[in-house]
Structure formats: C-alpha cells, structure tokens
Amino acid sequence: SSGINAEYGDFSKTFPIQSTIMMMKIVLLAALVALTAGYCEKNKADRSFEVIFRPPEVVEVELGDTISIVCAAHGHGTMDPLVYWIKGIGASHSEKGKRLGPTSIGKSTFYIDAAESEDIDTYQCVIEDCCGNKETIDVEIIVPEATCQDVYGLGHVVYGATWTFRNWTDAVADCASKGMELALPTSDEENEQLRLDLERSFNTHPNANKFKHENWCWLGATDVAEEGLWRKTSDDSELEYFNWDRRQPDNKPGTAGNPVSQNVAGIHRGSGKWDDSYSYYKRPYACLCPRQDA
C-alpha cells in the first residue's frame, strides 16, 4: 500500500501545479481576446487591408512548367493580414478544399517547381486579419484543352471533352468557335461512344480533376421553341433518337428569379442517360471532333 500511496502522493503534488498553469493560460487567452476586441473596436473604420497583388482568375500552364502565383495585401491602421492558400475548392468554387501551408504575413507565393497532373486544380488565396476582415480570391490552374488531340494519353476520340464550367448557350458557342458542334448522339452506338470518351477523358485529362462531383455534361439538343419538340442545335432538325433517364424529360418550371423552364439536354457521364435541364446551369461538355480522314 505504501507504493500506491507514494504514487498518488506524487500526483497530488503535481496536480495543483498543472491546474495553476492551465488557469494562467486561460486567463492569458481571455486577456488576449479582450485586448484584440478592444483594439479592433477602437477606430474600427480605420482598420482594414488592401490587396496589392491579386492573382489572376485563370492560369494556363503546360505539364512540367513552373507555377508561381503571388497573393499579397497591406494593412491600413493595423498589421499586415495573414495570407494562405486552399486547394480543391471544386469546379463551382464552393467546396471546402484543403488548407496548404505555410501561413504568411502580408504576402504568400503559391509555387510549384514542375507542374504535374494532380496540381491542375482550383485554388483560393485567403486574406484575413485579426479583426475578422477577410477576402478570398479564386484561382483556376488549367492546361490547354487539346480537345480532340491525343495529348494526355486519350488516344483517338470521336467526342472531345472540355472540362470547363459553361452554361448551355456558351457551350454551344464554344464548340462552334472551334469549327465543331456540341455533342449529340443519334444512336445507341454513338451514345455509348460519347459515354466512353467522357469517361476516358475524365480519368486522364488534368483539367477534369476539379469535376469529381459533377456528373452531367451538355448535349446539343433543345425544345425551347416548342415544348416537347426536341431539335438539334446544329441544323434545327427534329431528334429521332433519345436516351432519356427514368421520368425524363420532366420540364421542371423556372423560379421567380429565373422563369426559364428546363429546355436543354444533358448526359450523365457515368450511365449515358439523358435529362432535361436549365440552360443557365454551368456544366462541362464535349464537341464532336472533325473526322480524322476529313
């Protein structure tokens, strides 16, 4: 029993010391919070920061290139703010992402010596000061699309995927600007070809990294002129082939903020099934590549 008493005797002697240290830390933390609050409230209108180096929204690189992006801000009436980066905020720039280190004061340079596929993603520079002021700046790093070329190990494709968020109208226009048309299968075989080309591109193209939570891609079909009468965007002819998912198309109505109903088509890159959707949604898409013997 003496051994046990000695053990607990040692603990009883150290416990008050540990408690005292903990209490001191709590008191100091409370004092720091109160001091910071008082500091920020005093002349609050004069305490702010100004972004002096704003990163570009889009940075295009080749794999193997060096990436160097500066984000910096200067404090007015206060110390310079903290600056750090977050990776993986998704194609819609709404995901939480992963915070990268280190955190800097006033200026942070996002640097990669030689870009690899995993580095092609969406990022966010975060600037915040001790008074609660905060600003975020989104940056998208991409590689050239090379939509219909065997650049990223895709091999020959019939449909070239473009892993960029665009609404339906802009997707149609982008394909047309390249001398192509927005993908629209006209048979089961073509539909499966499109699904396979999307799948291969999704698994291989660096720009697809940020679309892991986006399953739908645009198709070149619309019934905007007459509800239920689906036409090709390429020549305005009526569709003879469909691959609608269950209970589709359902033509959901618009909202008070946007009264346009669902009048354009999309394809699920996993199942190959179609749905009707709102044209103002933003999705990736594929263009019909020129024939190789053309």
Side-chain angles (χ1 to χ4, degrees), residues 40-55:
C40 292
E41 286 302 319
K42 185 178 180 180
N43 300 323
K44 185 175 182 179
D46 297 328
R47 303 191 191 283
S48 62
F49 62 77
E50 174 189 4
V51 178
I52 54 178
F53 284 102
R54 183 177 294 274

Side-chain angles (χ1 to χ4, degrees), residues 84-90 92-100 122-124 126 134 212-213:
Y84 58 91
W85 291 85
I86 292 175
K87 177 184 179 181
I89 59 173
S92 60
H93 298 184
S94 60
E95 297 177 24
K96 184 177 181 180
K98 178 182 179 181
R99 182 166 174 167
L100 306 176
T122 45
Y123 296 81
Q124 188 174 78
V126 181
K134 182 177 181 180
K212 57 186 176 182
H213 296 144

Side-chain angles (χ1 to χ4, degrees), residues 22-220:
M22 181 61 71
M23 286 300 298
M24 290 176 63
K25 289 182 178 179
I26 293 174
V27 170
L28 287 173
L29 180 60
L32 181 61
V33 171
L35 181 63
T36 301
Y39 169 81
C40 292
E41 286 302 319
K42 185 178 180 180
N43 300 323
K44 185 175 182 179
D46 297 328
R47 303 191 191 283
S48 62
F49 62 77
E50 174 189 4
V51 178
I52 54 178
F53 284 102
R54 183 177 294 274
E57 293 182 1
V58 179
V59 176
E60 183 172 288
V61 300
E62 299 276 1
L63 294 181
D65 284 356
T66 296
I67 302 175
S68 182
I69 308 172
V70 176
C71 184
H74 175 65
H76 293 291
T78 184
M79 65 182 291
D80 286 347
L82 300 178
V83 185
Y84 58 91
W85 291 85
I86 292 175
K87 177 184 179 181
I89 59 173
S92 60
H93 298 184
S94 60
E95 297 177 24
K96 184 177 181 180
K98 178 182 179 181
R99 182 166 174 167
L100 306 176
T103 299
S104 305
I105 297 177
K107 175 183 176 182
S108 179
T109 301
F110 177 81
Y111 182 85
I112 295 176
D113 184 55
E116 299 180 2
S117 180
E118 64 184 23
D119 301 317
I120 309 304
D121 211 326
T122 45
Y123 296 81
Q124 188 174 78
C125 174
V126 181
I127 306 170
E128 57 184 346
D129 63 19
C130 60
C131 294
N133 300 310
K134 182 177 181 180
E135 182 171 347
T136 59
I137 304 171
D138 297 342
V139 179
E140 183 174 5
I141 298 178
I142 64 173
V143 293
E145 290 176 358
T147 305
C148 294
Q149 303 170 34
D150 185 13
V151 175
Y152 304 108
L154 293 176
H156 170 66
V157 294
V158 176
Y159 301 97
T162 296
W163 300 106
T164 301
F165 250 0
R166 288 191 172 98
N167 63 40
W168 184 84
T169 303
D170 289 345
V172 172
D174 183 61
C175 288
S177 72
K178 300 170 183 175
M180 296 182 278
E181 60 188 61
L182 191 58
L184 180 64
T186 60
S187 67
D188 284 341
E189 292 75 19
E190 291 182 4
N191 198 79
E192 178 62 9
Q193 181 68 56
L194 174 57
R195 189 194 68 79
L196 288 173
D197 284 348
L198 288 171
E199 181 180 39
R200 283 193 296 169
S201 181
F202 178 78
N203 292 329
T204 307
H205 200 298
N207 286 346
N209 290 340
K210 54 188 173 291
F211 287 92
K212 57 186 176 182
H213 296 144
E214 176 58 56
N215 294 315
W216 291 95
C217 301
W218 289 127
L219 289 175

Side-chain angles (χ1 to χ4, degrees), residues 189-265:
E189 292 75 19
E190 291 182 4
N191 198 79
E192 178 62 9
Q193 181 68 56
L194 174 57
R195 189 194 68 79
L196 288 173
D197 284 348
L198 288 171
E199 181 180 39
R200 283 193 296 169
S201 181
F202 178 78
N203 292 329
T204 307
H205 200 298
N207 286 346
N209 290 340
K210 54 188 173 291
F211 287 92
K212 57 186 176 182
H213 296 144
E214 176 58 56
N215 294 315
W216 291 95
C217 301
W218 289 127
L219 289 175
T222 178
D223 69 343
V224 65
E226 181 179 345
E227 176 57 36
L229 183 60
W230 288 88
R231 295 181 178 275
K232 302 177 183 178
T233 56
S234 57
D235 59 11
D236 203 38
S237 61
E238 291 185 33
L239 266 65
E240 297 180 356
Y241 171 81
F242 304 92
N243 194 39
W244 297 117
D245 204 348
R246 290 184 304 168
R247 296 187 293 276
Q248 296 295 330
D250 55 5
N251 190 39
K252 289 183 178 178
T255 63
N258 198 321
V260 178
S261 64
Q262 294 184 326
N263 53 30
V264 296

